[in-house]
Amino acid sequence: MTYFLLIFISVFSQTKINEKEIIDDYNKANTIITAKLIDIREVGNLGLFCEFEAVQIYKGKVHKTYLVKVDNNNYKKGTKLLLYLNKDKNKKYTIYKAKSKENYKPVNDEIKFLYSYVESKAFKHVKTPGEVKYVGGGS
């Protein structure tokens, strides 16, 4: 019975999200999105980049796609991720933290918490690229 109880507690504790850590990560990152990886490519002598199609934007500028500099090719096309991004001194997005959304309950719980956290802030809300209205200039 004790052995079963320890396994149950261990499994249960791994699936609970750490709200304080999520808030700290929110404050450290300048962009947070859920996105799907649509392309991986070398860009000249600048290095390896992943292009992500945004699904939801929790923090940062709203773009339809994000080009993110990566150090290695550990990602597969089609993968859905929760991404915490920062911009480096050259204004390139880099990954501060990435978590796979696919079949992973804690990440989905983290996304729900992020959604409620952003929506609870005055004048902020979670955005999707489709909500962006571009204002044209000139005639």
Side-chain angles (χ1 to χ4, degrees), residues 17-18 21-22 25 33-35 75 79-84 95 97-102 104 106-107 110-111:
I17 59 170
N18 182 337
E21 183 181 329
I22 295 168
D25 290 340
I33 61 173
T34 51
Y75 303 100
T79 303
K80 295 174 185 164
L81 298 161
L82 169 62
L83 296 166
Y84 292 80
I95 295 175
K97 190 179 274 191
K99 297 180 177 182
S100 175
K101 277 184 60 185
E102 306 195 351
Y104 193 53
V107 174
E110 183 168 339
I111 289 167

Side-chain angles (χ1 to χ4, degrees), residues 54-57 62-65 127-134:
V55 176
Q56 288 188 306
I57 298 97
V62 177
H63 301 289
K64 187 173 177 113
T65 61
K127 303 172 214 71
T128 62
E131 294 173 355
V132 179
K133 292 182 175 54
Y134 295 98

Side-chain angles (χ1 to χ4, degrees), residues 114-127:
L114 268 171
Y115 191 93
S116 64
Y117 181 71
V118 172
E119 296 288 328
S120 72
K121 295 174 145 314
F123 310 110
K124 298 214 182 254
H125 69 281
V126 176
K127 303 172 214 71

Side-chain angles (χ1 to χ4, degrees), residues 3-135:
Y3 181 70
F4 174 74
L5 185 60
L6 287 173
I7 290 174
F8 179 75
I9 291 170
S10 173
V11 169
F12 181 73
S13 65
Q14 289 175 357
T15 59
K16 182 148 175 54
I17 59 170
N18 182 337
E19 293 177 2
K20 183 183 177 319
E21 183 181 329
I22 295 168
I23 293 169
D24 287 345
D25 290 340
Y26 178 91
N27 292 328
K28 289 177 186 172
N30 61 24
T31 300
I32 303 171
I33 61 173
T34 51
K36 179 178 169 184
L37 178 58
I38 56 174
D39 194 21
I40 304 167
R41 62 182 177 264
E42 283 283 335
V43 179
N45 60 351
L46 298 176
L48 188 63
F49 285 80
C50 288
E51 184 175 7
F52 293 96
E53 179 178 37
V55 176
Q56 288 188 306
I57 298 97
Y58 304 93
K59 183 179 181 182
K61 291 192 176 188
V62 177
H63 301 289
K64 187 173 177 113
T65 61
Y66 291 76
L67 197 59
V68 180
K69 185 169 177 34
V70 293
D71 294 330
N72 53 50
N73 191 1
N74 289 342
Y75 303 100
K76 291 192 302 189
K77 282 186 186 180
T79 303
K80 295 174 185 164
L81 298 161
L82 169 62
L83 296 166
Y84 292 80
L85 306 173
N86 279 323
K87 281 189 175 180
D88 65 15
K89 62 184 179 204
N90 298 318
K91 304 212 183 233
K92 291 183 185 73
Y93 284 112
T94 56
I95 295 175
Y96 164 69
K97 190 179 274 191
K99 297 180 177 182
S100 175
K101 277 184 60 185
E102 306 195 351
N103 301 320
Y104 193 53
K105 186 180 180 325
V107 174
N108 293 325
D109 289 345
E110 183 168 339
I111 289 167
K112 286 179 193 169
F113 176 76
L114 268 171
Y115 191 93
S116 64
Y117 181 71
V118 172
E119 296 288 328
S120 72
K121 295 174 145 314
F123 310 110
K124 298 214 182 254
H125 69 281
V126 176
K127 303 172 214 71
T128 62
E131 294 173 355
V132 179
K133 292 182 175 54
Y134 295 98
V135 178

